Amino acid sequence: MMENYEEYYEISELIVKYLRGELNDLEKERLSEWRSRQEANERLFQRLTKGQDLLEEIPKYHFQGREEAVQNFLKRISLSRPRWSTYRRYVSYAAAAILLTALLFYLLPESKNRNQWAVHTEMELMPGGNRAVLILEGGKEIDLDNAETGEIARQGHAVISKSEEGYIAYNLVQLGLEKNSQEVSYNTIATPRGGQYRLRLPDGSRVWLNAHSTLTFPIEFKGEERKVELKGEAFFEVQHIPGKPFRVESGKQTVEVLGTEFNVNGYSDEKGITTTLVNGRVKIKLNVEKGTSKIDDVTLAPGQKALVENRSNDILISEADIEESIAWKNGHFQFNDTDLGTIMRQIARWYDVDVEYRGDVAGIRFRGKIPRDVPASQVFEILKTSGINIETEGRKIIVSN
């Protein structure tokens, strides 16, 4: 693994901010120090901060034909020809990844390390995006990525709308007294592999749903509790309502809160259900037969996480790495000495691919921060600095040592 990887990523972000005119005084000083450290740094800075020059560099990092790479790049940012204004708009979306790739490429030693960067691919695997299906009571499905903004459905007292920002909101309206008003209707929002979505629940609580996940919830919270069911991973910002706790059922655990921010990772292919508390307090209860576990419930403090293991009914409490746990919500992969298996499971869900391992890769770990909005090839190039080889066959990823 490269020792200076984190600095390279930091510098790439500073260069992006420089191009957008967003550097504060401390960041200007940091970038200036890096530029003056070596002549090579200054030359690289000059090369990467000229719009036309960066456009010329892009084909090197896509490993395609030169003209094809440039055209694909221009299509992605809706350009007819390179212009500085549109170049700056491009920077706001993808330049951090390209600059990082360039920094790694130029600063890696020549010979074998640089040669190991070749990614053999038949197709470019693009990142996931805002894709989900809303399943209404009764079975009607609404494709949310193709739905128009504004009202998309009504159920009971709930008006369901899609905002211009791309999230779904449930707003309650009073329609007068109705028969069977205590009956509860449920909706489900489901993201595929390569999808994510945001949702505002009827009580005002907000949910970020990660790839390959489902959330089932009532269209109106009635009674003395607010209960939802999660499969997969989601981040919650729960609206505080005195005397009406919010509960998240996920597998064999229930998370109970009054008002807080937390993340639940309950994917079936992980070693257990992990709940990470950012703010507030949560209580985790096991949904198992009494007497089959050492403890039935635990209460977390901010900065702690609980793991309910699949192979047992134990709850393991430890200090959490908040940044790593919620990096997906903030648009990044964050790996802090993370094992390769965990890394590739995240990549498989986000890029909708299958992973095959060849050789002994069990002991490989990685530390770094990578944007989630870049093609998979750029992620693979960065991961290859840990010494692994990555090839693609359609939507299958082959990882070897």
Side-chain angles (χ1 to χ4, degrees), residues 113-153:
N113 279 345
R114 188 176 287 187
N115 292 335
Q116 286 179 349
W117 276 48
V119 178
H120 304 292
T121 177
E122 298 174 0
M123 58 181 292
E124 185 67 280
L125 298 172
M126 301 307 294
N130 291 330
R131 293 194 286 273
V133 172
L134 182 65
I135 306 170
L136 305 179
E137 181 86 4
K140 179 182 177 181
E141 296 186 3
I142 300 175
D143 186 351
L144 295 179
D145 26 325
N146 292 323
E148 299 289 339
T149 57
E151 182 178 324
I152 60 175

Side-chain angles (χ1 to χ4, degrees), residues 147-179:
E148 299 289 339
T149 57
E151 182 178 324
I152 60 175
R154 285 186 178 233
Q155 286 199 307
H157 293 154
V159 176
I160 309 168
S161 302
K162 179 179 178 180
S163 73
E164 292 184 357
E165 292 78 18
Y167 67 85
I168 293 299
Y170 280 69
N171 297 299
L172 298 179
V173 295
Q174 292 299 324
L175 301 176
L177 296 175
E178 298 180 1
K179 295 181 180 180

Side-chain angles (χ1 to χ4, degrees), residues 368-381:
K369 181 179 178 182
I370 307 173
R372 288 197 352 152
D373 62 351
V374 300
S377 59
Q378 293 184 18
V379 177
F380 297 157
E381 288 162 9

Side-chain angles (χ1 to χ4, degrees), residues 161-271:
S161 302
K162 179 179 178 180
S163 73
E164 292 184 357
E165 292 78 18
Y167 67 85
I168 293 299
Y170 280 69
N171 297 299
L172 298 179
V173 295
Q174 292 299 324
L175 301 176
L177 296 175
E178 298 180 1
K179 295 181 180 180
N180 301 322
S181 60
Q182 291 305 309
E183 292 185 359
V184 179
S185 297
Y186 289 85
N187 287 180
T188 296
I189 184 171
T191 57
R193 295 211 302 178
Q196 63 180 11
Y197 222 84
R198 290 185 295 158
L199 171 71
R200 192 180 72 202
L201 294 171
D203 66 339
S205 297
R206 298 197 295 169
V207 183
W208 286 254
L209 198 62
N210 204 351
H212 200 203
S213 302
T214 64
L215 184 75
T216 299
F217 54 93
I219 62 173
E220 183 177 359
F221 290 112
K222 299 179 179 180
E224 299 179 351
E225 67 173 2
R226 297 168 287 164
K227 181 183 290 187
V228 302
E229 181 180 347
L230 171 69
K231 295 180 181 178
E233 183 171 22
F235 181 87
F236 294 84
E237 285 185 359
V238 175
Q239 190 76 19
H240 177 59
I241 300 179
K244 197 165 186 174
F246 189 98
R247 295 186 172 97
V248 181
E249 287 193 359
S250 180
K252 59 183 178 181
Q253 76 166 31
T254 298
V255 182
E256 179 179 318
V257 302
L258 293 176
T260 189
E261 299 178 4
F262 62 99
N263 192 83
V264 179
N265 182 333
Y267 288 115
S268 59
D269 57 354
E270 298 293 344
K271 61 182 178 181

